[in-house]
Amino acid sequence: MQQVQNHIKHVLKAPHSYARSISIPRLKPPTMPPPIHLILDWDGTLTTTSTLPLIAQTGYDLNASFAQPHQIPSWNSISEAYTSDYRAHSNAYTPCAAERNSIEQELAWLESLRYVEGKSMERVEAGGIFRGVRKKDVQRAADEAVREGKVVLRKGWERLIDRVVSANGEVGILSVGWSGEFIRGCLEAAVRRKNVAEENGVGSGDYVARIDIRANEITGGQDGRMSRYFEENGKGGEGGIWTARQKRMVMEDMTRKSKRGIEESLVYVGDSMTDLECLLSADFGVCVWSEGEMTGEQLDLEQALKRLGIDSRWIGQMRACDVEAEHGTNRTEMKRYNLWWARDFDDIWESLLFNAGNEIDICPASKAARDCQSPRFPISI
């Protein structure tokens, strides 16, 4: 025993050169999660319903105010013509939906709809529905739509966006609908109303101005023409943002623009078939499926995922290992064929996706999930 004690004293009194030869393990510093680049669909995702008829009404209201109104087709006739074209194309297309059992086949079908979408856009332009519509007309329509409750934003939207921006992330909105001015106007109106109700400072919600919004724009003028994103951005005669593939191409533009020399996690949130390619291309694809009765677009997406064998889990089931496994997926090759779903933005905000590093459940809903069934799928944790 005395010999051991003497040896310890000898080591402690050893010269510095001897002490340096002792290997001392170093702890690896904790890895901070990369900033999130959040891209949201608009109609049916950020909003609870489609806003297309509301924007169209802007053109009809303006036309009715003219001393000599133009003869323009009704919105019902525009919608019926689109439905007729869609059905004819669907009936003639092969393979039919029931026989499309691969993602490649489904994406090819979605891209084939470009002709139908383009023809509908040309029909709107030829009818002069947006002839003479100005930017201020669209902004006024957005303000009225929010004030009158015609546009309702999905629960938790502001908290999620604020969380991303506060953490040095990026936020974008990407839509195949109309229009960027209407979308921004709705967000600004919603923030103003919230600030008044809660007596917040004037600066609350300033992040809305920083959101990168891409959508088909109403250029108005005497011909009532709509914007052509790909033509106007030097990408050839690709037309506007009409299909799932074109939407994914714009998403790639958005991520390239935001590159700041740092790694980011791309999160895409959508609710319909036009979102499929973006959902599969992102690091994390999240489907919005309304609690209770789902919309027709949501049901179409849900059924397609089941038919294609694409797994989808409630985002409240996400665990740290999922976050680590999915971050950094090669977006262009779309190798990962599993998605998440959420009822609203609170589901997303409370998940481990936005609370990386926490190994325990974040919210009461996650704990309750251990003892209950999901609205659509059994939850096994």
Side-chain angles (χ1 to χ4, degrees):
M1 185 64 179
Q2 184 62 41
Q3 290 178 338
V4 173
Q5 291 176 344
N6 291 337
H7 178 70
I8 293 175
K9 290 179 181 180
H10 173 72
V11 171
L12 292 176
K13 293 179 180 179
H16 185 63
S17 59
Y18 180 83
R20 279 188 303 179
S21 67
I22 301 175
S23 176
I24 301 176
R26 296 190 177 187
L27 295 177
K28 184 179 179 181
T31 302
M32 295 299 293
I36 284 179
H37 191 156
L38 175 68
I39 299 181
L40 308 168
D41 171 54
W42 172 246
D43 283 315
T45 298
L46 199 43
T47 68
T48 57
T49 57
S50 173
T51 62
L52 199 59
L54 297 175
I55 305 169
Q57 192 59 45
T58 304
Y60 289 103
D61 290 343
L62 181 64
N63 182 63
S65 69
F66 294 151
Q68 294 182 329
H70 304 291
Q71 292 296 320
I72 57 179
S74 69
W75 188 247
N76 281 340
S77 67
I78 295 289
S79 299
E80 289 170 359
Y82 173 83
T83 301
S84 177
D85 287 347
Y86 182 93
R87 287 176 177 170
H89 179 71
S90 178
N91 290 336
Y93 188 87
T94 56
C96 65
E99 296 174 351
R100 292 195 295 270
N101 53 22
S102 73
I103 292 175
E104 291 72 21
Q105 288 177 327
E106 194 66 22
L107 296 183
W109 150 252
L110 292 172
E111 179 58 16
S112 76
L113 293 171
R114 183 186 300 190
Y115 168 76
V116 176
E117 300 294 340
K119 189 175 179 182
S120 180
M121 187 69 70
E122 292 171 358
R123 193 177 292 120
V124 170
E125 291 175 327
I129 293 174
F130 292 107
R131 185 179 299 152
V133 172
R134 300 156 296 182
K135 179 178 178 179
K136 66 178 184 180
D137 297 320
V138 176
Q139 293 173 334
R140 183 172 57 249
D143 188 74
E144 291 176 356
V146 172
R147 187 175 65 250
E148 297 173 4
K150 295 177 181 177
V151 169
V152 178
L153 300 178
R154 197 171 295 279
K155 180 183 175 185
W157 73 275
E158 189 177 18
R159 183 167 67 157
L160 180 64
I161 291 177
D162 183 61
R163 174 70 171 271
V164 174
V165 173
S166 300
N168 195 36
E170 298 280 335
V171 178
I173 297 173
L174 175 55
S175 175
V176 294
W178 313 320
S179 74
E181 291 294 340
F182 184 83
I183 292 171
R184 196 178 300 280
C186 286
L187 296 178
E188 291 173 343
V191 169
R192 283 196 301 270
R193 289 175 61 81
K194 183 175 184 293
N195 288 344
V196 170
E198 298 181 1
E199 298 182 352
N200 290 333
V202 176
S204 299
D206 285 348
Y207 55 79
V208 171
R210 296 171 52 186
I211 298 175
D212 182 9
I213 301 177
R214 310 289 179 100
N216 299 300
E217 204 56 72
I218 300 171
T219 58
Q222 293 304 308
D223 58 359
R225 181 175 165 82
M226 307 296 291
S227 68
R228 298 290 193 278
Y229 178 89
F230 292 93
E231 295 174 12
E232 294 161 9
N233 287 273
K235 298 182 181 297
E238 294 279 355
I241 309 172
W242 298 338
T243 67
R245 181 157 302 165
Q246 289 172 319
K247 205 170 187 181
R248 190 257 301 165
M249 292 168 67
V250 178
M251 182 178 76
E252 292 175 353
D253 284 349
M254 297 170 77
T255 56
R256 277 195 294 267
K257 179 184 176 182
S258 76
K259 287 299 181 186
R260 299 167 289 173
I262 59 176
E263 188 179 22
E264 295 180 323
S265 283
L266 176 59
V267 179
Y268 184 86
V269 186
D271 76 306
S272 69
M273 290 300 293
T274 55
D275 296 307
L276 181 60
E277 199 153 344
C278 288
L279 288 166
L280 294 174
S281 300
D283 292 320
F284 298 90
V286 184
C287 309
V288 170
W289 290 341
S290 301
E291 189 169 16
E293 185 175 357
M294 295 170 67
T295 67
E297 290 79 8
Q298 292 170 355
L299 287 171
D300 287 344
L301 178 58
E302 181 190 36
Q303 291 166 3
L305 295 181
K306 290 180 178 179
R307 171 165 48 82
L308 298 172
I310 301 175
D311 181 43
S312 57
R313 289 187 288 159
W314 178 48
I315 199 165
Q317 293 178 272
M318 184 176 283
R319 292 294 177 264
C321 57
D322 297 313
V323 177
E324 294 170 2
E326 307 228 11
H327 171 66
T329 300
N330 189 325
R331 299 168 190 163
T332 59
E333 296 183 11
M334 296 185 297
K335 293 180 179 178
R336 175 191 45 74
Y337 295 142
N338 60 288
L339 303 174
W340 304 92
W341 65 264
R343 297 163 295 188
D344 51 40
F345 294 114
D346 278 346
D347 269 1
I348 301 173
W349 186 89
E350 292 165 345
S351 73
L352 280 188
L353 181 56
F354 285 83
N355 295 274
N358 294 336
E359 298 291 344
I360 60 174
D361 292 320
I362 300 302
C363 60
S366 297
K367 288 187 177 182
R370 297 181 184 276
D371 303 312
C372 72
Q373 296 291 311
S374 157
R376 279 170 288 281
F377 299 102
I379 293 178
S380 55
I381 298 179

